[in-house]
Structure formats: C-alpha cells, structure tokens
C-alpha cells in the first residue's frame, strides 16, 4: 500500500501566503509520519502559484536524515523540471498531463501535443538523474468542457506513456467527476493492460462520497492513493465547493478495514493533524 500525502495540493490555492518557516515546520512533521511519498511543493511560475514560490527555501530547511519518505515536486514544463533536477533531495517529479485539451491549456498553457513532448523530454532527464517521473492524467474521469472523454481515450494516453517507459501514472479526478461506475472498470482495465505501470488514484470528493470512490479503486486493484489531511485543498474548478482532496484519515480508516497497514507512526500522524488545523486556519481537526 502506497500512501502519498499532498500538502502542496492543500496549500496551493490558499489566498494568504503561509510563511516559509510555517510550511517547513509542517512538512517536517509530515516527514516524521512515514508516508511513502510527500507531494511537498512545486517549481512553477510564482505568478501562477504564488503560495509555492518558496519551494526551494522550504526544501533547504528540511531535515531528511531521519525519514525514508520520498519527496515529489510538481512541475508544469521543462524549465520547472530542470530546476527540480538541481535538487538531489527530490526523488520524483510530477507532471499534469490532461486528457482534455481545454484543461491542458488552462493548467500549463500548452496544447496536449506540447505537453506530451515535455513528458518525453522530462522522462529522459529524470532517467539521467536517477529520478522518477510521475504523470498525473488530469481530467481522467471526465471534464466539464465538452472535450472528448472515454476509457479508450485514457487508455490511449496510457499506452503512449508506457511506450516512453513511464512507470507511475496517477488517474486524477480533477473536478470530482468520478463515480464507482467509471472508477472500477477504468482501473481494472488499465492495471490489467499495463502491468509494468504503477497506477495511482488522485481522487477529489465531497465529504459524503469518499468511501465509494476509494472502494471502487481499491477493489479494482489500485494500491497507490493520494490524500491530504483534513481533505483540504483540491481543484478550484470543481462545481461543488465541498469537493476537495481525499482526506488522509479516511483513507487510513478504509485501509484498516481491509487489513492494510501503511506502516505510519500514529503518534506523529496525530501531531501532524493537530498542526494542520493551525497551518490551514481550521478551528480543529479531530485527533483521529
């Protein structure tokens, strides 16, 4: 079971800048929990994502000597990838490749063809530097723009990624559009067709629909899940303001029911949840 904690996704849309020292301290607490991967920051235009303009400073302030957690940074183009590659502490680069042309243009100011070319170049550069490229298939379960979507389209994108040698692909429910009727067959088909690829689920959800989505992916064979403590963050383009990230505590509860143990430090996780309440301006998150 692979659990990816995504404080980057939780932070990036906040209007008020979180001080660098506060970010660093929060990430340090998350590193103590023992997540497989920490999606900690991004190397993108500070005009596009001002909240994360201090990613390099945050990284410099982290003590990584006592953790096995891998660090993942999101990039939006080759320039961002080259910046991320300068940091040996980063294990993985994440790139959002949309199956919807409209969203690719809005998200990275590229066409899909341009983004695919970037993926090929970034994968090659990651291989040269001993890093892993994680490709997020944005709008993986549908889109609100009227752009074409079907399981066959998603499979076609995956086929091209497999041909490049990409080893991790996360299906991203960018706007919370997924339902079990699409989640289960899509994961089942892809996991069967591309055994060389590790498939992840980056699911957005309302507070009442999280279980059915996690169960649908899990029972289809998915064993890599992204979450954020408290379900904070998500895509601002979602139609329902209650749609946010998958809450990590809900993922852990579901995994426990299935007999899965991600091997986290529970005391550190409780402390991190308490810290999240302060970092994100919430009154409190239950100790859990």
């Amino acid at each position: 079971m692979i659990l990816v904690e995504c404080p980057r996704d939780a932070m990036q849309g906040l209007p008020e800048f979180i001080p660098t020292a506060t970010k660093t301290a929060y990430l340090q607490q998350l590193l103590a929990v023992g997540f497989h991967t920490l999606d900690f920051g991004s190397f993108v235009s500070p005009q596009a994502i001002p909240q994360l303009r201090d990613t390099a400073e945050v990284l410099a302030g982290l003590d990584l000597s006592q953790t096995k957690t891998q660090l993942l940074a999101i990039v939006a183009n080759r320039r961002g990838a080259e910046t991320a590659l300068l940091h040996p502490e980063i294990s993985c680069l994440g790139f959002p490749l949309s199956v919807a042309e409209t969203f690719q243009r809005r998200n990275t100011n590229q066409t899909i063809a341009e983004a695919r070319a970037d993926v090929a170049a970034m994968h090659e550069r990651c291989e040269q530097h001993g890093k892993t490229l994680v490709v997020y298939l944005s709008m993986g379960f549908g889109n609100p723009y009227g752009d074409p979507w079907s399981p066959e389209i998603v499979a076609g994108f995956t086929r091209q990624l497999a041909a490049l040698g990409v080893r991790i692909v996360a299906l991203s429910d960018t706007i919370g559009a997924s339902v079990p009727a699409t989640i289960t067959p899509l994961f089942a088909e892809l996991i069967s067709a591309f055994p060389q690829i590790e498939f992840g689920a980056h699911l957005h959800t309302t507070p009442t629909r999280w279980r059915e989505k996690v169960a649908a992916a899990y029972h289809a064979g998915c064993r890599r899940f992204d979450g954020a403590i408290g379900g904070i963050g998500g895509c601002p383009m979602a139609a329902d303001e209650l749609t946010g990230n998958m809450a990590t505590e809900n993922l852990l509860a579901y995994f426990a029911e299935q007999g899965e143990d991600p091997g986290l430090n529970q005391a550190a996780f409780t402390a991190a949840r308490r810290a999240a309440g302060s970092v994100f301006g919430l009154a409190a998150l239950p100790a859990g």
Side-chain angles (χ1 to χ4, degrees), residues 127-207:
E127 292 286 290
Q128 293 170 353
H129 284 75
K131 301 184 188 297
T132 300
L133 180 66
V134 179
V135 176
Y136 292 85
L137 285 182
S138 302
M139 299 291 170
F141 299 93
N143 67 82
Y145 311 116
D147 291 332
W149 181 92
S150 69
E152 291 75 22
I153 289 174
V154 179
F157 272 73
T158 305
R159 191 172 300 110
Q160 291 177 330
L161 295 173
L164 292 174
V166 172
R167 296 184 295 276
I168 303 177
V169 174
L171 302 184
S172 297
D173 184 15
T174 315
I175 58 169
S178 67
V179 294
T182 56
I183 295 172
T184 297
L186 188 54
F187 272 109
E189 176 184 341
L190 293 177
I191 290 171
S192 174
F194 303 98
Q196 73 275 37
I197 291 179
E198 178 182 294
F199 286 95
H202 186 96
L203 300 173
H204 291 170
T205 183
T206 59

Side-chain angles (χ1 to χ4, degrees), residues 22-248:
T22 302
K23 286 194 187 85
T24 304
Y26 181 54
L27 293 176
Q28 195 69 57
Q29 289 187 301
L30 293 175
L31 288 170
V33 176
F35 296 106
H36 180 278
T37 299
L38 197 65
D39 177 356
F40 82 101
S42 65
F43 292 96
V44 300
S45 165
Q47 287 73 39
I49 309 290
Q51 183 65 247
L52 300 178
R53 64 181 185 264
D54 59 347
T55 291
E57 290 79 7
V58 168
L59 179 59
L62 294 175
D63 179 2
L64 303 174
S65 63
Q66 302 298 316
T67 184
K68 296 181 180 180
T69 297
Q70 297 182 5
L71 294 183
L72 181 151
I74 295 294
V75 299
N77 49 41
R78 298 185 205 186
R79 180 178 179 181
E82 291 298 330
T83 301
L85 290 171
L86 295 174
H87 300 278
E89 306 92 338
I90 296 174
S91 300
C92 305
L93 275 63
F95 179 78
L97 175 64
S98 177
V99 302
E101 188 77 44
T102 303
F103 187 70
Q104 192 72 60
R105 290 180 180 274
R106 291 189 179 192
N107 197 35
T108 66
N109 196 31
Q110 296 169 301
T111 65
I112 287 177
E114 291 168 338
R116 282 173 168 161
D118 271 7
V119 167
M122 288 187 290
H123 175 65
E124 182 177 354
R125 293 289 287 151
C126 283
E127 292 286 290
Q128 293 170 353
H129 284 75
K131 301 184 188 297
T132 300
L133 180 66
V134 179
V135 176
Y136 292 85
L137 285 182
S138 302
M139 299 291 170
F141 299 93
N143 67 82
Y145 311 116
D147 291 332
W149 181 92
S150 69
E152 291 75 22
I153 289 174
V154 179
F157 272 73
T158 305
R159 191 172 300 110
Q160 291 177 330
L161 295 173
L164 292 174
V166 172
R167 296 184 295 276
I168 303 177
V169 174
L171 302 184
S172 297
D173 184 15
T174 315
I175 58 169
S178 67
V179 294
T182 56
I183 295 172
T184 297
L186 188 54
F187 272 109
E189 176 184 341
L190 293 177
I191 290 171
S192 174
F194 303 98
Q196 73 275 37
I197 291 179
E198 178 182 294
F199 286 95
H202 186 96
L203 300 173
H204 291 170
T205 183
T206 59
T208 59
R209 301 194 66 186
W210 69 268
R211 180 179 292 275
E212 64 185 42
K213 296 191 179 195
V214 175
Y218 181 85
H219 288 297
C222 180
R223 293 297 183 270
R224 179 186 176 102
F225 288 83
D226 289 10
I229 289 176
I232 301 165
C235 181
M237 299 177 189
D240 188 336
E241 64 179 11
L242 294 178
T243 298
N245 280 309
M246 186 66 65
T248 304

